[in-house]
């Protein structure tokens, strides 16, 4: 086959990258509504930079939700129509005493199984 093991979506690798990005952006902070946009942008950009550095054949979609802890509920769901053997998803929840954070990463394979499938 044209693809190799490095072309597989590794939820473990992605989770490590996401946890690092969250830790670097939020670990020492209490919730502050004026900082949420800065934090979410930082988390998403750092995840994307580190995922691209893996040099794996994926397009990535990253979402980040930060919510103040007030006792209110937060429900999130996702539905995908994709190739389960190539594409992948990783959701990483995180919290501290003042906020919740959920980062989701979707990896969409751009790998070609057969070189003859490439349009030239």
């Amino acid at each position: 086959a044209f693809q190799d093991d490095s072309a597989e979506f590794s939820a473990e690798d992605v989770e490590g990258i996401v946890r690092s990005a969250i830790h670097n952006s939020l670990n020492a902070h209490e919730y502050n509504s004026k900082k949420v946009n800065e934090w979410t942008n930082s988390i998403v950009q750092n995840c994307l930079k580190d995922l691209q550095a893996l040099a794996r054949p994926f397009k990535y979609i990253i979402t980040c939700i930060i919510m103040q802890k007030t006792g209110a509920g937060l429900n999130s769901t996702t539905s995908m129509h994709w190739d389960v053997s190539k594409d992948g998803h990783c959701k990483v929840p995180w919290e501290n005493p003042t906020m919740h954070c959920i980062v989701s990463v979707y990896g969409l394979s751009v790998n070609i199984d057969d070189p003859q499938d490439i349009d030239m």
Side-chain angles (χ1 to χ4, degrees):
F2 193 56
Q3 72 182 43
D4 58 30
D5 287 344
S6 70
E8 292 180 12
F9 185 85
S10 170
E12 295 81 20
D13 290 349
V14 172
E15 182 175 345
I17 286 170
V18 171
R19 288 203 180 280
S20 176
I22 293 170
H23 178 81
N24 291 340
S25 294
L26 300 181
N27 201 49
H29 297 287
E30 292 186 2
Y31 181 84
N32 179 340
S33 62
K34 294 176 180 160
K35 292 285 202 168
V36 170
N37 281 340
E38 176 186 327
W39 292 335
T40 55
N41 287 334
S42 173
I43 290 167
V44 168
Q45 292 303 320
N46 285 326
C47 286
L48 188 57
K49 176 180 59 82
D50 290 348
L51 288 166
Q52 288 174 321
L54 295 175
R56 294 191 179 148
F58 290 94
K59 292 182 181 182
Y60 295 103
I61 300 166
I62 305 166
T63 64
C64 179
I65 299 169
I66 295 177
M67 180 175 162
Q68 183 177 15
K69 272 192 179 178
T70 62
L74 171 64
N75 297 298
S76 174
T77 189
T78 304
S79 179
M80 290 78 97
H81 178 76
W82 61 16
D83 185 340
V84 295
S85 68
K86 296 179 185 178
D87 304 326
H89 169 254
C90 179
K91 180 170 73 174
V92 180
W94 177 92
E95 64 182 89
N96 72 12
T98 65
M99 64 183 136
H100 298 280
C101 177
I102 301 172
V103 177
S104 294
V105 177
Y106 307 86
L108 308 172
S109 176
V110 292
N111 231 0
I112 305 297
D113 286 326
D114 184 345
Q116 294 188 359
D117 289 343
I118 298 173
D119 286 336
M120 297 269 191

